[in-house]
Amino acid sequence: RTTMSAPSAAARVLSGYRRLFRARRVLFRGDDRAMRESRVAIRSEFDKNRSATDPAHIEGLMTMIDEAEEMLLHGIVQGQLNPSSGNYEVKIKPEHTSEDSTTNMEPITTETTETKGCGQGVVVTSTKGEKEKSGR
């Protein structure tokens, strides 16, 4: 079993904190509310675990940091309301898909927008500019 020295653990935690802040800036660029709320949430989680000293617990937290960064960068897409059409437009970028694994993306249909309470149509745009309309 490998144990971490305090300085190396602190450096890894600080590095993880910075990575999460960079990932949130990428995901929420242009969305001031999401930027504020994600900053508060990340800071709160780190403050909650500030006094952690158990190496196994710290390793678990580091794994959670890695998973959260992965999710922010590759697992979430943000949509924008197009006021002229009333549809939400979502741009799927290459980093949101993977050739070697199955993507767990729920298809956007009239039924899923109704069950999710969206109430408005959705337009999915790939990075190649192809659009698929759904909804009303």
Side-chain angles (χ1 to χ4, degrees):
R1 178 169 149 164
T2 309
T3 58
M4 291 183 286
S5 67
S8 71
R12 287 183 60 214
V13 169
L14 182 57
S15 171
Y17 185 78
R18 289 179 180 147
R19 289 187 353 248
L20 288 177
F21 265 72
R22 281 191 296 270
R24 81 178 239 293
R25 278 194 305 264
V26 169
L27 176 61
F28 299 127
R29 182 176 294 125
D31 186 339
D32 294 335
R33 179 178 175 194
M35 289 289 280
R36 273 191 315 275
E37 290 179 9
S38 62
R39 178 180 42 83
V40 169
I42 292 168
R43 180 64 189 254
S44 171
E45 286 302 309
F46 275 80
D47 283 345
K48 190 167 37 173
N49 292 289
R50 181 179 297 275
S51 61
T53 57
D54 176 41
H57 182 66
I58 293 171
E59 274 305 315
L61 293 170
M62 292 305 300
T63 299
M64 289 172 55
I65 290 170
D66 293 341
E67 291 171 355
E69 179 189 29
E70 176 71 19
M71 180 187 63
L72 288 170
L73 292 175
H74 306 289
I76 300 173
V77 293
Q78 193 173 30
Q80 301 227 344
L81 178 62
N82 179 331
S84 62
S85 69
N87 291 327
Y88 281 93
E89 295 182 355
V90 179
K91 187 172 282 191
I92 307 296
K93 298 177 182 173
E95 60 263 30
H96 296 115
T97 61
S98 172
E99 292 180 19
D100 59 339
S101 68
T102 305
T103 323
N104 256 347
M105 232 185 249
E106 185 174 337
I108 300 171
T109 64
T110 304
E111 292 77 29
T112 58
T113 58
E114 288 170 359
T115 59
K116 301 292 182 202
C118 297
Q120 299 192 9
V122 176
V123 175
V124 178
T125 306
S126 75
T127 55
K128 296 177 182 154
E130 303 159 354
K131 290 187 178 183
E132 177 185 323
K133 289 191 178 188
S134 175
R136 296 167 231 197

